[in-house]
């Protein structure tokens, strides 16, 4: 199982390098089902892995002029504060046993994985959908306004904080349709926001969670190697077809996770 986990960590990075996102949605299931971590710890580790890996991709996109810094500042300022508050003050006080329904105890671990499975279903639809045909070719600087992005930033922050997911599948449509960024710039900007959200969210866990740094850094290095590998071959393969194929895989994984948690 651990060998599969390390291979999956590489896949997470490769997918980020090839299609600019999507792979991070697998981080929590990999931590839970392949490495046997409890869901709460898995969300914490996911924030660090996703944040570190996304940062590598974001820096590369920034060098190529594919990051809109104004969008990062306006969107990020709302989501970063929200994800930090969520991890630092809200997650630690959520009880493990939440409710009892017909003799079945709904635990936070169970709810986390069911919500994550649902999130994967939404992510798969976003990946399968083709945004290239509807994405603008030119930027719209006047479309980027703080109040316009405030609600979306808070929503992304809550999702990232509770579930440890980067939220790129939610960010990219917002960046394309709400503030009119071209597809490549939306991907680069999304990676930068995800990196900042995830890494700052992870700092909210410090002091609350016992971190196995050797294990965490090992997985992170594998994922980073994957994103470098994916980036180096991204121009040689059809990223659109890969993205759709990966979207169907995520869809099946989301269904599997929900059924596994509900049936057992």
């Amino acid at each position: 199982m651990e060998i599969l986990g390390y291979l999956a960590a590489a896949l997470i990075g490769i997918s980020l390098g090839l299609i600019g996102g999507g792979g991070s949605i697998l981080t929590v299931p990999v931590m839970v089902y392949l490495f046997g971590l409890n869901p709460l710890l898995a969300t914490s580790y996911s924030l660090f892995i996703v944040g570190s890996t996304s940062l590598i991709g974001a820096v590369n996109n920034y060098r190529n002029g594919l990051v809109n810094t104004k969008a990062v500042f306006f969107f990020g300022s709302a989501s970063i504060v929200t994800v930090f508050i969520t991890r630092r003050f809200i997650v630690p006080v959520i009880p493990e046993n939440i409710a009892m329904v017909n003799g079945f105890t709904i635990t936070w671990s169970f709810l986390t994985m069911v919500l994550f499975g649902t999130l994967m279903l939404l992510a798969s639809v976003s990946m399968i959908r083709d945004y290239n045909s509807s994405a603008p070719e030119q930027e719209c600087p006047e479309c980027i306004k703080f109040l316009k992005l405030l609600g979306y930033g808070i929503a992304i922050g809550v999702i990232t904080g509770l579930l440890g997911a980067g939220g790129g599948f939610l960010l990219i449509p917002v960046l394309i349709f709400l503030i009119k960024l071209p597809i490549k710039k939306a991907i680069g900007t999304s990676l930068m926001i995800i990196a900042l959200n995830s890494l700052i969210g992870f700092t909210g866990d410090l002091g609350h969670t016992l971190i196995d740094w050797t294990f965490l850094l090992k997985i992170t290095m594998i994922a980073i190697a994957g994103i470098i590998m994916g980036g180096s071959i991204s121009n040689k393969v059809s990223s659109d077809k890969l993205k759709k194929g990966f979207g169907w895989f995520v869809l099946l994984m989301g269904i599997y996770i929900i059924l596994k948690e509900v049936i057992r």
Side-chain angles (χ1 to χ4, degrees), residues 38-56:
N38 71 66
L40 179 59
L41 184 60
T43 61
S44 180
Y45 281 22
S46 176
L47 287 172
F48 185 84
I49 296 165
V50 171
S52 302
T53 310
S54 297
L55 184 61
I56 300 298

Side-chain angles (χ1 to χ4, degrees), residues 129-136 176 183-184 187 239-240 243:
R129 182 177 177 182
D130 181 15
Y131 290 118
N132 286 302
S133 58
S134 53
I176 289 174
I183 183 69
K184 288 188 176 181
I187 289 172
S239 59
D240 290 338
K243 186 177 181 181

